[in-house]
Amino acid sequence: MAASSQSTVLVTGAGGRTGQIVFKKLKEKRDQYIARGLVRSEESKQKIGGADDVFIGDIKDAESIVPAVQGI
């Protein structure tokens, strides 16, 4: 698939048990998806690799998730 046909998917709760599984599976399918993770703390971000595709924010605070949803 071409990069333009990839879907960008934001996994909220990417630091949790189910979120980690979903985030990892999406990252394994790089030809189909661009995965982004949303966690609530730096500790959670580091737990899942701490990469630039993991954002810190809280869905109850719209301003905090703007960087994570930008361009989606």
Side-chain angles (χ1 to χ4, degrees):
M1 286 185 147
S4 63
S5 63
Q6 292 172 300
S7 296
T8 302
V9 179
L10 177 64
V11 179
T12 60
R17 185 183 345 187
T18 303
Q20 282 186 50
I21 294 167
V22 172
F23 186 64
K24 180 181 176 204
K25 292 290 183 185
L26 289 170
K27 287 183 71 78
E28 289 173 356
K29 298 181 183 234
R30 293 179 195 266
D31 59 325
Q32 296 175 7
Y33 303 102
I34 298 168
R36 292 184 185 175
L38 182 68
V39 297
R40 289 191 289 176
S41 69
E42 183 65 36
E43 181 182 344
S44 290
K45 180 176 179 171
Q46 295 308 316
K47 187 167 101 175
I48 61 172
D52 290 340
D53 57 358
V54 180
F55 298 83
I56 299 172
D58 189 326
I59 61 169
K60 296 181 276 182
D61 177 6
E63 290 291 318
S64 74
I65 66 168
V66 169
V69 299
Q70 206 147 25
I72 295 180

